[in-house]
Amino acid sequence: MLNQFGFSVESFRSISSRLDNTHLSHTGIVMTTKLETLLDKLKDLESEMVEELQKQEEEFSYEIHKRRVDFEKNVIIRHRKYAKRLLNYLNDAQLKHILSAPFIWICIIPVLLVDVTVTLYQWVCFPIYGIPKVKRQDYIVFDRRYLNYLNIIEKINCAYCSYFNGLIGYLQEIGARTEQFWCPIKHARRIKTLHSRYQKFINYGDAEKYRSQIETIRRDFKDLK
């Protein structure tokens, strides 16, 4: 049935539907672009923060040679004056902290098991998938041992925390690269933290893009090489 303008109702509905789809598609593109821009800004801010932290080298008179941190001699002497003797350190420790220590250190057993298991996984599987391996030294750093104002117990505690928290970052990066290969889809719900590969993921619900670009995205690691 034609209306006064010569269009059938079915034609009008078809055109209207196409316009709606075009609008939704355009909206999705705008949202995707904005999200990617924000994620890029976040990465830039993280890089800027790292640069600012590294500027402390001049302020506190130390230099980094490969993995070693070297302080000026006069700084080392000054630092040693602030080192707390072991006896005083133990006497000042709260009893509840001493009693809780075994519960902290017992975590090392499953942590070591996870470390070995996940490291073995990336050694075996990442070459098969074509994913660049994650470097442990980029995440697990033991540089607090060069601080002469720490006693031996404090240095051991610092080494434990460095390993534990560095390992979490190391594992997260392995998981992020794995997720990019097998399931690069953003979440619908808000998540607390975003890993380094999240910005490359496809929007939740975008079925067309998922099927058309999945093979490209799952191999997009050129920024790591």
Side-chain angles (χ1 to χ4, degrees):
M1 183 178 187
L2 298 179
N3 58 20
Q4 59 180 325
F5 298 104
F7 287 102
S8 67
V9 175
E10 288 75 12
S11 297
F12 180 79
R13 287 175 177 173
S14 176
I15 294 171
S16 178
S17 176
R18 290 179 184 177
L19 288 173
D20 287 342
N21 289 337
T22 301
H23 173 71
L24 289 172
S25 176
H26 176 70
T27 303
I29 292 171
V30 172
M31 291 179 64
T32 300
T33 303
K34 185 175 182 181
L35 181 59
E36 289 175 349
T37 301
L38 290 173
L39 289 169
D40 287 337
K41 287 182 179 179
L42 181 61
K43 290 194 73 174
D44 290 339
L45 286 173
E46 289 178 349
S47 298
E48 187 176 342
M49 182 182 68
V50 171
E51 290 178 4
E52 286 298 318
L53 288 172
Q54 290 176 341
K55 288 180 181 179
Q56 293 180 131
E57 294 181 30
E58 295 182 6
E59 182 180 354
F60 295 101
S61 304
Y62 65 84
E63 293 181 354
I64 300 176
H65 300 100
K66 294 184 178 180
R67 299 184 189 180
R68 181 180 176 82
V69 181
D70 292 322
F71 284 91
E72 295 179 2
K73 287 186 178 181
N74 61 319
V75 176
I76 294 175
I77 294 172
R78 188 168 71 249
H79 281 179
R80 285 174 177 168
K81 293 179 180 179
Y82 290 93
K84 200 167 188 178
R85 294 181 179 275
L86 288 179
L87 185 59
N88 294 334
Y89 182 82
L90 293 173
N91 285 335
D92 293 341
Q94 296 185 41
L95 180 60
K96 60 183 180 181
H97 293 169
I98 296 174
L99 294 177
S100 68
F103 294 95
I104 298 175
W105 284 94
I106 199 172
C107 294
I108 195 67
I109 299 174
V111 166
L112 287 172
L113 180 60
V114 170
D115 186 2
V116 172
T117 303
V118 177
T119 298
L120 181 62
Y121 151 70
Q122 82 150 344
W123 283 352
V124 173
C125 296
F126 274 21
I128 296 173
Y129 305 148
I131 302 175
K133 293 178 184 176
V134 180
K135 297 179 180 178
R136 290 173 60 88
Q137 65 187 37
D138 290 343
Y139 297 88
I140 303 175
V141 179
F142 300 105
D143 56 3
R144 293 167 181 165
R145 57 196 174 102
Y146 299 110
L147 298 172
N148 288 282
Y149 52 84
L150 301 179
N151 60 45
I152 186 64
I153 295 178
E154 291 173 316
K155 287 184 178 181
I156 292 173
N157 288 339
C158 281
Y160 182 81
C161 290
S162 296
Y163 173 68
F164 197 101
N165 288 288
L167 180 66
I168 291 174
Y170 168 71
L171 297 177
Q172 184 187 47
E173 183 62 20
I174 292 176
R177 297 182 190 187
T178 301
E179 186 176 21
Q180 181 180 343
F181 186 84
W182 288 109
C183 189
I185 302 173
K186 293 184 175 73
H187 293 283
R189 294 175 56 187
R190 180 181 178 182
I191 53 179
K192 201 72 173 179
T193 60
L194 302 177
H195 58 63
S196 65
R197 313 306 300 170
Y198 195 77
Q199 66 192 58
K200 293 182 176 292
F201 287 16
I202 301 165
N203 285 336
Y204 187 90
D206 193 342
E208 182 180 353
K209 187 174 181 179
Y210 178 77
R211 287 304 174 197
S212 64
Q213 297 189 23
I214 177 65
E215 293 301 325
T216 300
I217 292 174
R218 74 191 310 187
R219 290 176 172 80
D220 185 10
F221 294 100
K222 55 182 177 293
D223 57 306
L224 300 175
K225 297 178 181 178

